Amino acid sequence: MTEKGICPIQTVFGILGGKWKHRILLELHPGPMRYNQLAASIGTISYKVLTQQLRELEEDGLVCRKVYPEVPPRVEYALTEMGESIFVVFREMRRWGLECDPVHEPVCSHCWKCRGREENASGSADA
Amino acid sequence: MTEKGICPIQTVFGILGGKWKHRILLELHPGPMRYNQLAASIGTISYKVLTQQLRELEEDGLVCRKVYPEVPPRVEYALTEMGESIFVVFREMRRWGLECDPVHEPVCSHCWKCRGREENASGSADA
DNA sequence: CCGCATCCTACAAGATACTG
DNA sequence: CAGTATCTTGTAGGATGCGG
């Protein structure tokens, strides 16, 4: 488990610390995903690291792992309520990031806010 | 400079990525500080890393470095407007972190919100 | 006092091969 | 399919010594 009992801000950095943690959460936002599906949509992550980071996110209570006793095996990962709740932080990060760097890619495929924009390219997605 | 032109959320993780970046910003919040003062108040950071992270924060426009041409030399670091503005993100992080881990240390000396509480130990500091 | 140069270590992450 | 085991690599960070 990520170290707690310290400054709450450091707690958050600890929980989201891994190189891929936030990316995984972002991917999971639209709904539960299977292990391989997750690996494929992230693209460049190794299985080892994906498993590892998922376990840590699970321990920290942000994602939950559901095993379906089937053949072939199926495992789905989903955001917990706590996992959903961190998106208030992401929302602020996104706002700040956009202000600070307005020339970011017009649509970043893995960002839960941008994702909606490809079809919905007219409205004001923010605020 | 931290990589930009990508997902705004990743931009933020990039900018705050270093082990000490957020800690430095937190220390700087009350007002400008000198190099050694900063090193002392953080305590366990090495000079090399402090310099390095300060340079990166400077390049990303979060802190500004002011050199006073005196003997002995004096250098002060301060938050820029952009540096101040990231505290909206910290604020959300702190809120989330407190909910997720309510048993964090009663007062964490380096947290800009907690710091005020030591004297002001009565009121509701949040919200 | 401030901070750069150099060297070194520890750990996160990648690659690959194998298993229930 | 969804992992583990093992090995290798890259890099952030630490320690120390010198210089403006």
Side-chain angles (χ1 to χ4, degrees):
Chain A
M1 171 107 62
T2 305
E3 192 184 7
K4 294 188 176 182
I6 48 175
C7 172
I9 294 176
Q10 258 183 303
T11 304
V12 179
F13 277 106
I15 289 175
L16 301 178
K19 182 175 176 184
W20 300 101
K21 296 269 185 75
H22 67 279
R23 185 66 197 276
I24 292 171
L25 296 173
L26 253 17
E27 289 296 336
L28 248 29
H29 192 254
M33 286 181 83
R34 303 178 60 164
Y35 180 80
N36 270 342
Q37 203 181 353
L38 212 39
S41 74
I42 293 179
T44 54
I45 193 174
S46 71
Y47 289 120
K48 190 197 103 179
V49 174
L50 177 56
T51 303
Q52 190 178 291
Q53 311 250 312
L54 279 168
R55 290 293 131 84
E56 287 176 26
L57 287 169
E58 202 188 346
E59 269 204 281
D60 286 324
L62 299 194
V63 310
C64 94
R65 178 172 179 269
K66 206 171 282 179
V67 182
Y68 296 85
E70 305 172 358
V71 183
R74 182 158 66 109
V75 179
E76 277 192 349
Y77 292 91
L79 293 181
T80 62
E81 208 172 311
M82 189 185 229
E84 301 265 3
S85 75
I86 197 129
F87 278 74
V88 301
V89 174
F90 286 168
R91 194 155 155 284
E92 284 308 318
M93 283 192 177
R94 195 181 126 82
R95 267 149 71 113
W96 190 88
L98 282 176
E99 269 182 61
C100 125
D101 174 33
V103 292
H104 79 111
E105 295 227 323
V107 174
C108 38
S109 60
H110 57 272
C111 174
W112 93 112
K113 280 273 194 178
C114 286
R115 191 148 33 204
R117 287 203 191 150
E118 286 174 273
E119 43 254 57
N120 183 12
S122 52
S124 58
D126 260 36
Chain B
M1 169 108 63
T2 305
E3 192 185 7
K4 294 188 177 184
I6 49 176
C7 171
I9 293 176
Q10 259 183 301
T11 304
V12 179
F13 277 106
I15 289 175
L16 302 177
K19 184 176 175 183
W20 301 102
K21 297 268 185 75
H22 66 279
R23 185 64 197 276
I24 292 170
L25 296 173
L26 253 17
E27 290 295 338
L28 248 30
H29 192 253
M33 287 182 83
R34 303 178 59 164
Y35 180 79
N36 270 342
Q37 202 182 354
L38 211 39
S41 73
I42 293 180
T44 53
I45 193 174
S46 70
Y47 289 120
K48 190 198 104 180
V49 174
L50 177 57
T51 303
Q52 190 178 290
Q53 310 251 311
L54 280 168
R55 288 296 129 84
E56 287 177 25
L57 287 169
E58 201 188 348
E59 270 204 279
D60 287 325
L62 300 194
V63 310
C64 95
R65 177 172 180 269
K66 206 171 282 179
V67 182
Y68 296 86
E70 307 172 358
V71 182
R74 181 158 67 109
V75 180
E76 278 191 349
Y77 293 91
L79 294 180
T80 61
E81 207 172 312
M82 189 186 228
E84 301 265 3
S85 75
I86 197 129
F87 279 73
V88 302
V89 174
F90 286 168
R91 194 155 155 283
E92 284 307 318
M93 281 194 180
R94 195 181 126 82
R95 265 149 72 110
W96 190 87
L98 282 177
E99 270 182 60
C100 127
D101 174 31
V103 292
H104 80 111
E105 294 226 324
V107 173
C108 38
S109 60
H110 56 273
C111 173
W112 93 110
K113 280 272 193 179
C114 286
R115 191 149 31 203
R117 286 204 193 150
E118 286 172 274
E119 43 256 58
N120 184 12
S122 52
S124 58
D126 262 32

